[in-house]
Amino acid sequence: MTNLVLPDPERLAARIQGGERAAVASGLNLLDNRLPAARSHAVRLLACLSGERSLSAGHLIGVTGPPGAGKSSLVSAMIREWRLAGRTVGVLAVDPSSRPELGGGALLGDRIRIKSVGQDEGLFIRSLANRNQLGGVASEVWPMSWLLLACFDVVVIETVGVGQTEIDIAEIGDTVCYVAQPASGDTIQYLKSGIIEIPDIFAVNKADLGAAARKTASEIGRSAPRQDRREGWDYPVCLLSATMQTGIKEFHAHFDRHRRFLVAAGLLERQRSQHQSGWVLRLLKEEFGTFGLGLLGGRTTIEERLGACRSSQFEEYERMREHILSRLLSVNQPTLSP
Amino acid sequence: MVAPRRKKDQPWLMRTYSGHSSARASNALYRTNLAKGQTGLSVAFDLPTQTGYDADSPLARGEVGKVGVPISSIADMDQLFDQIPLDQMNTSMTINATAAWLLSLYIGLAQRRGIDPKTLSGTTQNDIIKEYLSRGTYIYPPGPSMRLIADTINYTVKNVPKWNPTNVCSYHLQEAGATPVQELAYALCTAMAVLDRVKASGEIPPDEFPQVVERISFFVNAGIRFIEECCKLRAFGEMWDELTLTRYQVQDAKLRRFRYGVQVNSLGLTEAQPENNVQRIVLEMLAVALSKRARARAIQLPAWNEAMGLPRPWDQQWALRIQQVMAFETDLLEYEDIFDGSPVIAAKVGELIAGARREIENVEAQGGIIAAIESGYIKRELVGSHMSRLRAIEAGELKIIGVNCFHETAESPLTAGSDGAIMKSDPAAERQQIERLQEHRRQRSDADVRAALQGLADAAKSGDNIMPNSIRCALAGVTTGEWGDSLRAVFGEFRPPTGVDIAIDSREVLGRKDQVTDLRERVARTGNALGRPLKLLVGKPGLDGHSNGAEQVAVKARDVGFEVVYDGIRLTPQQIAQAAQEEGVHVVGLSILSGSHMELVGSVLQELRARDLAGLPVVAGGIIPPADAERLLALGVRAIYTPKDFNLNAIMGDIVDVVRETNGLERLGGLS
Ligand code: B12
Ligand SMILES: Nc1nc2c(ncn2[C@@H]2O[C@H](COP(=O)(O)OP(=O)(O)OP(=O)(O)O)[C@@H](O)[C@H]2O)c(=O)[nH]1
Ligand SMILES: [Mg+2]
């Protein structure tokens, strides 16, 4: 057995809400931890951090796009703007893991691109590997983004877009931004796939490359389908250059504008609460399988229960987990050591 | 038997790369070296000087006077060349990001001594491109860096005509793992980028451009595979001749000659059985001496104790004597080229040229060397080559005597002394330099300094040649840090890609019974026991640019299943501790080869404690003498690795055990 000491969730939550960096770090470690004991602590921590505020405060942003499109460089440029405006920023940067048969390791390389020189206590970056979770976002990402939201004004999640990722990211972020690589097959593929429906803001980076970037921007502008879109949002396509620092201010302004739009349309809370139910389900299923969901009366029942307690879904999650665990425990009683 | 007297060729320039502690101490060393028959000077600067910081900058702490001489102002330059006649000396300065500045100090000093700058001869290394790829003392982004190179060329061609304003370096690429083909290709791409930039500046009339081409010299490497290396130098000559003719229309064949200096390979010099390095150095020197057609113009040799630490004067003397024996005792210089007409050599040269051409085309297709640096392509290629080399050593396919074979050795009398057989820079040097600098600041006219710095900033913004205003700064008593900061304010700073994100070696797959698969299993098992995958932070604190070790540790750790954070070189202890905290790593690995490990490791441990991370295990590697290793272990560092520990698998196994032990799990012990 390890001598790992798990932090007390209540105290940790208070420290996190006080913006203590050490607490944020150990909270993230806890949410990342898959030991059964840690799971319970993690769910408790989330429950302590939830509440009305968690549905309305801050801004959760997803940035996705093909490898090397300049996501990190753009995030870095935006962080500069946010920091100048006095807003604090938490970042989750997700990189791919190598395949399990090749060891499953990962080089987490976004940090160096995002962080400019110098010390900044208002910026917190955690890098994560996607751990081969079916091309999508590792399920740790979602709880971690909620934790960061409890203590930073803006939370950005950067992921490499490979289809499923966009869908996952759309189920986390208030605002999703797609960063396109000028003149690359990825963008064409992207336009053809249905995923183009997802982003709220498009960025064509590397405008300094000239014609190729302009062409890609106009392709996206033409293809971004308008049916099925949200009334009152214009799905801007920005042409910009992280290297030359051009177009950043306009681009940056769209994020605040999008958040204002969500609030005005009453969508911010609704979206967050939907996302929360979706992820609670996913986490329950991941931990206990369909069998576990069955112990709670199945998917629909769970959804109903979660829907009934919009701002306290984490508490509900905790209750459901305890319920399943106690049922499993009673089944497995004889083999369990005290 | 007495050999018949024949007319001998002139030998090459003989130098030893040196400088330490202070301008005064280095000046004394230079004068003794000249007295021993050395024919030119090669100045090693300390890292603050190379990266544009003053001795009293917080970033310079622990680094002043360590690996070279600190030069903060014209006063230091004056002391460095005390009683050395500038107009008669050939001075090579290994200086890059701040080359325009150090050259300005040299020219300013000459002016102050009443010497005509036209009589100055020597070299500023001034190849900032390879700094991004290997050497690590970059400051500004590529665009402004290219401009600084072009400015110094444009200026010296007109005003200091005997100066070699830039020395295109392939040396450092080999030290970062490059193959001969990569060395050829990337060095020639660099030379093209520089010449194209100078041409585009329009400062040189087209009919004078061949003179610019002629001023471009090279600094190359010669490794232990000395026949191939000799062929590489012949290939360099042929390719340069062709390139300068076709691309730059230089008609005069004399102006197309490939002129180069050399330092032989140091990457292959070992800490284990260090006396063997002497034969390695001699053999490597053959590569650049044997073939008259491809012979070096200047040679500097490393010392036998290269992998242990800085050489003492006696070690350097031994290196110089190797050159002298080669030049004056052997019959080497009596013959015309001994390889001309050899089909074997010609075939090898042809093969290298073909390979280099392909790679040059590849880089050009990506938009040239700057684009290929910014995208990380070249750096990844180098990290990949170095990885192949190390894995071959690990596997025993590449034999290194005394390291992965023939370990048995008698006690060496060479390393028996109490000084650890290395040179220790003066521990009081930093304090004294700071005092000297502060005194200098009090002596100068603030008004002159302000005016000169304003002129510098204006030139930087307007695009005027940086040199006249830099010389004005030098004469006004501006300091290295002030010059560096003024340009930082205009140009910004840059961190190049780290290159560690190379593809994983897919031959190392599950199912094979080898160390890698064993390690993967251990890493996964330990991660499971702790609840999340093992995460390692590889940190490079201080101004140290030696990235090879950190890169290879990062890549290997990834390959055996760690999640690895590596943010590149030149981070402060605060930045490293902050990253360790934010990233929630299980272990921190520091890599330090600059000799500042005592100060830097101590600061990192302190910063970790300040962040509630006193229990986080820290290991360290690099050039760390045994006595210091003991002291670091006593400070709480969990393990120390030095070049002797060549097997990265073994190191990884050990790190897994350090993590296990920290977390109350039993150690798993040595690998199968
Ligand atoms: C290659 C090299 C260079 C290359 C570096 C290329 C690069 N990108 O890394 C170049 C040519 C650029 C270079 C330049 C300089 N160098 Co140099 N260089 C070397 C050399 C020959 C080999 C180092 C190396 O890369 N070895 C291969 C790697 C894989 O080995 P390693 O880093 O030792 O790592 C191993 C272990 O130490 C350990 N390890 C290391 N780090 C870590 C980290 C962790 C976490 C772990 C677990 C293990 C670990 O594991 C590795 C596997 O075996 C050494 C001498 C020598 N033979 O060791 C001098 C040496 C380090 N250089 C030296 C100097 C002085 C310089 C300069 C500062 C000179 C100057 N004044 O300008 C410059 C400037 C560099 C800078 N910006 O800081 C000195 C340092 C003196 C000292 N410490 O007292 C040395 C010792 C040479 C000497 N005797 O003078 N150098
Ligand atoms: N020309 C140009 N290059 C850029 C620009 N922005 C970023 N780059 C370069 O594009 C490369 C990738 O940039 P990143 O910001 O790391 O891209 P990313 O999308 O985060 O990459 P991954 O996280 O690896 O998928 C780097 O070499 C950048 O220097 C830009 O505006 N113009
Ligand atoms: Mg990125």
Side-chain angles (χ1 to χ4, degrees):
Chain A
M1 269 312 276
T2 83
N3 58 8
L4 197 74
V5 183
L6 296 170
D8 173 64
E10 271 88 13
R11 274 220 302 281
L12 192 59
R15 288 171 61 205
I16 290 172
Q17 277 156 341
E20 226 183 282
R21 301 177 76 83
V24 174
S26 78
L28 292 174
N29 295 350
L30 180 61
L31 297 184
D32 202 13
N33 199 307
R34 306 211 143 214
L35 294 178
R39 279 264 171 161
S40 305
H41 276 63
V43 177
R44 190 81 273 274
L45 175 65
L46 285 172
C48 295
L49 289 174
S50 68
E52 244 352 285
R53 193 185 166 277
S54 67
L55 287 181
S56 56
H59 195 179
L60 250 175
I61 292 171
V63 175
T64 182
K71 300 179 290 297
S72 301
S73 311
L74 281 181
V75 169
S76 173
M78 292 206 293
I79 288 170
R80 239 184 332 270
E81 299 289 327
W82 281 313
R83 296 297 298 130
L84 279 176
R87 289 155 84 181
T88 57
V89 186
V91 180
L92 291 173
V94 188
D95 271 316
S97 301
S98 62
R99 297 202 310 277
E101 69 273 25
L102 294 176
L107 279 164
L108 307 173
D110 290 315
R111 192 182 175 82
I112 175 185
R113 291 256 160 239
I114 293 175
K115 200 162 168 66
S116 47
V117 230
Q119 206 71 0
D120 180 0
E121 295 290 326
L123 171 64
F124 191 108
I125 305 174
R126 167 68 61 108
S127 321
L128 275 176
N130 77 351
R131 302 181 184 154
N132 292 295
Q133 295 195 13
L134 294 171
V137 166
S139 48
E140 295 81 21
V141 170
W142 175 72
M144 287 185 173
S145 66
W146 274 81
L147 186 152
L148 291 179
L149 200 58
C151 52
F152 292 97
D153 299 328
V154 181
V155 175
V156 183
I157 304 161
E158 178 191 326
T159 59
V160 174
V162 282
Q164 183 59 38
T165 342
E166 281 91 337
I167 299 173
D168 280 1
I169 276 295
E171 285 168 0
I172 298 179
D174 305 325
T175 304
V176 175
C177 168
Y178 179 81
V179 182
Q181 177 85 288
S184 98
D186 290 310
T187 308
I188 313 294
Q189 275 307 315
Y190 186 79
L191 294 175
K192 284 186 188 152
S193 75
I195 310 167
I196 185 88
E197 302 277 344
I198 289 170
D200 305 296
I201 297 170
F202 294 89
V204 179
N205 188 33
K206 311 195 184 182
D208 48 296
L209 299 184
R214 285 195 298 277
K215 183 156 170 276
T216 305
S218 76
E219 272 166 6
I220 294 182
R222 271 199 313 277
S223 327
R226 292 287 174 265
Q227 79 275 40
D228 189 47
R229 314 246 76 192
R230 277 180 184 143
E231 195 78 34
W233 181 245
D234 56 358
Y235 299 90
V237 181
C238 307
L239 191 57
L240 40 81
S241 164
T243 308
M244 312 305 292
Q245 293 289 310
T246 53
I248 303 290
K249 283 215 156 55
E250 297 82 333
F251 173 59
H252 182 254
H254 289 309
F255 286 85
D256 273 357
R257 192 167 64 81
H258 186 250
R259 190 180 185 287
R260 281 197 303 274
F261 156 75
L262 291 175
V263 173
L267 284 169
L268 187 73
E269 296 198 9
R270 177 137 37 100
Q271 233 178 236
R272 282 195 188 172
S273 145
Q274 275 167 6
H275 292 167
Q276 215 171 336
S277 326
W279 280 92
V280 167
L281 251 168
R282 174 165 163 180
L283 291 178
L284 284 172
K285 179 145 184 240
E286 207 177 82
E287 199 177 1
F288 304 110
T290 331
F291 173 73
L293 299 188
L295 289 179
L296 291 168
R299 211 186 173 91
T300 331
T301 320
I302 300 176
E303 272 168 356
E304 272 163 25
R305 273 177 70 179
L306 289 170
C309 41
R310 281 183 358 110
S311 65
S312 54
Q313 293 189 56
F314 285 113
E315 273 117 335
E316 192 57 29
Y317 173 33
E318 194 181 13
R319 279 192 289 275
M320 294 184 196
R321 241 187 120 254
E322 273 161 13
H323 178 78
I324 303 181
L325 283 172
S326 67
R327 293 287 299 275
L328 291 175
L329 215 65
S330 63
V331 176
N332 291 332
Q333 200 81 57
T335 59
L336 269 185
S337 51
Chain B
M1 187 198 81
V2 180
R5 290 244 157 239
R6 287 176 57 177
K7 195 180 144 10
K8 278 194 163 199
D9 290 324
Q10 232 354 68
W12 49 89
L13 271 177
M14 299 183 194
R15 296 181 162 130
T16 26
Y17 183 39
S18 51
H20 67 91
S21 304
S22 66
R24 184 186 301 280
S26 302
N27 171 264
L29 177 65
Y30 294 168
R31 286 194 281 140
T32 29
N33 284 353
L34 290 169
K36 287 176 183 165
Q38 184 177 303
T39 50
L41 290 178
S42 171
V43 183
F45 295 98
D46 72 355
L47 292 171
T49 305
Q50 297 191 47
T51 48
Y53 296 113
D54 278 336
D56 54 357
S57 157
L59 290 164
R61 200 171 298 143
E63 314 262 19
V64 179
K66 270 270 164 58
V67 294
V69 57
I71 298 293
S72 303
S73 73
I74 194 163
D76 295 335
M77 199 58 130
D78 191 19
Q79 197 164 62
L80 185 65
F81 289 95
D82 184 33
Q83 299 176 53
I84 297 176
L86 296 185
D87 48 350
Q88 290 159 42
M89 188 43 55
N90 186 309
T91 305
S92 159
M93 294 193 249
T94 299
I95 196 74
N96 294 279
T98 53
W101 172 239
L102 272 298
L103 178 58
S104 296
L105 289 174
Y106 198 74
I107 295 172
L109 179 63
Q111 288 179 1
R112 231 173 61 175
R113 289 188 183 172
I115 293 167
D116 183 358
K118 290 207 158 37
T119 61
L120 297 178
S121 71
T123 306
T124 33
Q125 192 167 80
N126 202 16
D127 165 359
I128 308 175
I129 294 190
K130 63 84 177 63
E131 295 296 323
Y132 300 127
L133 293 173
S134 164
R135 202 170 164 281
T137 65
Y138 45 77
I139 307 175
Y140 313 111
S145 293
M146 290 303 290
R147 151 157 181 221
L148 288 175
I149 300 175
D151 281 358
T152 48
I153 295 176
N154 284 325
Y155 184 84
T156 52
V157 167
K158 288 180 210 137
N159 304 291
V160 199
K162 292 202 294 180
W163 198 263
N164 296 307
T166 178
N167 213 208
V168 174
C169 296
S170 77
Y171 168 78
H172 309 81
L173 303 179
Q174 181 174 132
E175 295 294 305
T179 62
V181 163
Q182 287 172 328
E183 242 192 283
L184 282 164
Y186 302 147
L188 292 173
C189 284
T190 301
M192 284 190 274
V194 168
L195 284 174
D196 291 352
R197 181 66 181 70
V198 172
K199 205 169 186 178
S201 76
E203 282 192 44
I204 310 283
D207 59 319
E208 288 170 30
F209 201 72
Q211 268 71 49
V212 176
V213 173
E214 195 254 351
R215 286 330 296 162
I216 303 287
S217 57
F218 289 77
F219 183 54
V220 309
N221 205 323
I224 194 72
R225 294 169 53 81
F226 71 95
I227 297 182
E228 183 175 31
E229 293 291 69
C230 182
C231 294
K232 175 186 80 188
L233 287 154
R234 293 170 74 92
F236 253 133
E238 287 184 28
M239 292 183 81
W240 185 242
D241 182 72
E242 187 199 296
L243 198 140
T244 48
L245 180 64
T246 54
R247 195 175 172 108
Y248 302 107
Q249 283 82 45
V250 180
Q251 300 304 333
D252 181 350
K254 273 217 303 289
L255 303 184
R256 300 200 302 265
R257 274 202 302 235
F258 180 75
R259 298 180 309 128
Y260 75 95
V262 74
Q263 155 113 7
V264 303
N265 181 290
S266 292
L267 183 61
L269 301 183
T270 61
E271 182 190 8
Q273 299 182 25
E275 63 280 4
N276 295 337
N277 292 331
V278 173
Q279 43 287 17
R280 295 191 179 106
I281 292 165
V282 173
L283 292 170
E284 289 168 350
M285 189 183 165
L286 287 179
V288 296
L290 272 183
S291 162
K292 178 174 177 179
R293 212 146 63 79
R295 188 169 294 149
R297 306 273 171 134
I299 297 181
Q300 50 193 39
L301 298 180
W304 68 277
N305 53 353
E306 169 79 12
M308 296 164 55
L310 291 170
R312 300 160 298 184
W314 177 76
D315 307 315
Q316 294 204 319
Q317 173 189 315
W318 191 354
L320 174 65
R321 296 289 185 247
I322 294 177
Q323 297 203 46
Q324 291 168 333
V325 169
M326 184 89 82
F328 303 123
E329 290 188 21
T330 76
D331 54 354
L332 178 81
L333 293 174
E334 295 170 12
Y335 296 92
E336 289 308 303
D337 195 285
I338 59 173
F339 292 122
D340 276 350
S342 155
V344 178
I345 295 288
K348 184 69 196 173
V349 172
E351 182 193 314
L352 291 170
I353 291 180
R357 280 213 183 103
R358 270 197 302 280
E359 188 54 13
I360 291 174
E361 277 164 25
N362 181 12
V363 170
E364 294 284 286
Q366 296 179 38
I369 188 143
I370 299 289
I373 284 173
E374 287 175 341
S375 73
Y377 166 76
I378 299 185
K379 184 66 185 168
R380 278 195 297 274
E381 291 296 298
L382 296 178
V383 172
S385 294
H386 195 191
M387 182 190 81
S388 306
R389 178 184 134 81
L390 287 190
R391 298 209 173 168
I393 296 174
E394 254 167 41
E397 290 154 18
L398 186 64
K399 293 212 173 354
I400 312 282
I401 308 307
V403 172
N404 63 359
C405 57
F406 305 113
H407 304 104
E408 304 66 25
T409 176
E411 188 90 44
S412 162
L414 276 180
T415 49
S418 60
D419 58 355
I422 53 171
M423 148 98 191
K424 289 256 163 52
S425 60
D426 180 359
E430 183 159 320
R431 191 177 41 79
Q432 286 165 4
Q433 180 65 14
I434 290 175
E435 282 163 11
R436 219 180 118 72
L437 170 67
Q438 289 172 344
E439 180 56 29
H440 167 80
R441 287 206 197 102
R442 277 191 291 276
Q443 301 290 328
R444 60 191 192 170
S445 147
D446 284 345
D448 287 359
V449 167
R450 266 198 307 278
L453 283 172
Q454 187 58 50
L456 179 70
D458 291 344
K461 282 183 210 138
S462 70
D464 286 350
N465 194 310
I466 212 80
M467 287 299 294
N469 277 291
S470 296
I471 295 170
R472 189 172 154 214
C473 284
L475 291 167
V478 162
T479 66
T480 298
E482 288 162 347
W483 186 88
D485 284 346
S486 303
L487 298 191
R488 276 186 183 91
V490 180
F491 296 151
E493 290 182 70
F494 182 74
R495 291 178 72 76
T498 60
V500 293
D501 48 338
I502 52 174
I504 203 160
D505 185 347
S506 57
R507 284 169 308 182
E508 293 175 334
V509 286
L510 208 69
R512 268 180 45 176
K513 286 269 166 286
D514 58 13
Q515 294 191 333
V516 169
T517 38
D518 182 8
L519 275 167
R520 283 177 181 164
E521 195 272 329
R522 289 178 185 209
V523 171
R525 176 142 57 103
T526 308
N528 287 339
L530 299 181
R532 58 194 178 104
L534 294 192
K535 198 168 182 183
L536 163 72
L537 174 76
V538 179
K540 289 249 356 133
L543 297 178
D544 180 18
H546 292 92
S547 58
N548 287 341
E551 287 154 8
Q552 296 303 322
V553 167
V555 169
K556 175 62 89 174
R558 185 272 313 260
D559 288 1
V560 300
F562 279 90
E563 294 183 352
V564 183
V565 181
Y566 170 57
D567 289 343
I569 58 171
R570 284 166 59 187
L571 297 171
T572 61
Q574 291 91 317
Q575 286 171 318
I576 288 174
Q578 184 173 346
Q581 180 180 56
E582 292 183 11
E583 296 294 352
V585 296
H586 291 100
V587 50
V588 174
L590 303 174
S591 181
I592 307 171
L593 286 82
S594 65
S596 306
H597 43 270
M598 291 311 302
E599 294 86 343
L600 290 168
V601 174
S603 312
V604 172
L605 292 175
Q606 196 184 332
E607 290 290 334
L608 287 174
R609 278 194 298 272
R611 288 169 190 272
D612 273 358
L613 292 173
L616 186 63
V618 173
V619 301
I623 305 296
I624 302 180
D628 290 351
E630 289 303 319
R631 289 160 65 202
L632 289 174
L633 291 171
L635 282 179
V637 175
R638 299 292 292 278
I640 302 283
Y641 307 99
T642 68
K644 272 202 295 282
D645 306 299
F646 69 95
N647 188 324
L648 283 165
N649 289 335
I651 293 181
M652 290 299 138
D654 211 42
I655 292 180
V656 172
D657 273 348
V658 165
V659 173
R660 294 182 66 89
E661 207 169 51
T662 309
N663 290 285
L665 300 168
E666 82 289 4
R667 295 179 69 100
L668 299 173
L671 297 171
S672 48

